[in-house]
């Protein structure tokens, strides 16, 4: 699974992207975040306030309860500040 | 079909307006919104804009389709820059054309409200003293502005 | 202090925007509304605009002062043409600048709603068949649009 | 008193402006319109629907009941269609 990070989520995780093999039982974005936070302090820091970090699956905004089945690319980023 | 561009380069609002309107007798109104980099009382040397390539185009196309479904538009152009942008330079252009003014105004305002809260761009401050400052926080006022469109 | 011009010549929206924004770090948003002559399904060869010299300037200045009192504007330009204007040509430009987008959008829309119903200009149709057509009727929708500003 | 006319009011009256001596007792715009309509068919035609014709005194919009005392220039015109 390809994961991509933007803005301060990217800075905290310390990488722009990575490809990870996910363990069994990770069905949703929320499951994925919970698992990432077990992988090290940098992830704990990035997701310390889970409610703030937004997610997209294959370029579409999704909620934490969204299924990741079939996803090619999952992105995590702060609230958008464009415009 | 909206024209959407994500680019580093500055844009030319007049040329974009001409591209939409030249030779047409059905357009009665255009609204061109331009968003500029402010210096925040002299504090900033620049804003750095990061974006999510691919998703930025897709999300703006999605918002533009929504606008085209809601209003009888005769043209819609969105240009959003990324990279380092100095105070006084333009960041974003939304250009809406219609037969009548209300649709053009509303569509442009709708596009901006949605861009602010849904387009995957993030701003970081670069300070006059040479330091890289904080990421700009999202504003609750922007969420409220988007929500009024239902 | 708003810039107000009543003129026969076409205007350059980009140059007017540059005149308001160049060298400024406090402007975060401009909204440029341009109203164009439509051909009404190919029926019109031109619109002829008559105005009341002196009152047109005074009335637009009055509307502009009202806008400047209501919104924190950093610039306001209104250019209204008169004479014979062909389909596709611009008739009116309202350009509002502010730190933030909401004020710029609202002020521009307010100016247009008031211009439509209070500025002493009258349009007459010139038809493709060579005849001078009817004076354009005022629209109830324009009065209603003005009244929503209270 | 200088009177000026615009658009179809001008066309119906048949002149762009005129300077008239007003008789005694003409205090308001409505009085003035009533008197003008006694001056000929062209005025009757221009003001046939009095509620439609707008007036300005010295470049300011006024209502029919407005006093014309001290006015330098009074304008009559149809509803505006600018913008």
């Amino acid at each position: 699974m390809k994961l991509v990070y933007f803005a301060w989520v990217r800075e905290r995780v310390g990488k722009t992207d990575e490809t990870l093999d996910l363990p069994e039982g990770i069905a949703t974005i929320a499951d994925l975040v919970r698992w990432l936070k077990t992988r090290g302090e940098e992830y704990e820091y990035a997701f310390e306030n889970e409610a703030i970090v937004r997610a997209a699956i294959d370029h579409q905004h999704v909620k934490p309860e969204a299924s990741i089945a079939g996803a090619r690319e999952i992105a995590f980023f702060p609230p958008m500040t464009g415009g | 079909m909206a024209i959407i561009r994500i680019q580093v380069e500055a844009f030319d609002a007049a040329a974009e307006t001409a591209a939409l309107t030249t030779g047409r007798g059905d357009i009665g109104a255009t609204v061109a919104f331009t968003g500029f980099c402010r210096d925040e009382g002299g504090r900033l040397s620049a804003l750095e804009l990061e974006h999510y390539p691919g998703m930025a185009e897709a999300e703006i196309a999605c918002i533009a389709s929504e606008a085209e479904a809601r209003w009888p538009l005769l043209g819609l152009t969105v240009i959003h820059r990324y990279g380092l942008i100095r105070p006084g330079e333009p960041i974003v252009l939304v250009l809406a054309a219609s037969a009548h003014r209300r649709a053009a105004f509303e569509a442009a305002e709708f596009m901006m409200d949605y861009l602010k809260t849904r387009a995957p761009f993030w701003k970081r401050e670069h300070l006059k003293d040479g330091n890289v400052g904080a990421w700009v926080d999202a504003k609750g006022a922007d969420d409220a502005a988007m929500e009024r469109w239902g």
Side-chain angles (χ1 to χ4, degrees), chain B residues 1 5 11 14 25 27 31-32 57 65 67 70 73 86 90 95 97 99 108 115 120 123 127 141 148 150:
Chain B
M1 220 20 221
R5 293 208 297 276
F11 47 76
I27 291 176
V31 170
E57 290 83 349
S65 292
R70 283 182 180 226
L73 300 181
R86 305 284 172 191
L95 178 57
L115 281 177
K123 293 192 183 102
L127 307 180
R148 78 201 160 106

Side-chain angles (χ1 to χ4, degrees), chain A residues 4-8 10-11 54-56 58-61 73-75 77-83, chain B residues 50-55 59 80 91-92 112 116-124 135-138:
Chain A
V4 296
Y5 309 105
F6 293 96
W8 55 254
R10 168 178 57 69
E11 292 184 321
R54 308 292 175 92
D58 297 339
H59 296 168
Q60 298 215 315
H61 292 290
E73 180 173 292
I74 296 177
F77 43 76
M80 287 70 72
T81 56
Chain B
E50 177 170 335
H51 78 298
Y52 182 178
M55 180 169 173
E59 187 64 28
H80 204 306
I91 298 172
V92 61
M112 282 307 305
K116 285 266 173 190
T117 51
R118 295 193 55 91
F121 289 83
W122 301 274
K123 293 192 183 102
R124 178 156 53 176
W135 291 93
V136 174
D137 271 334

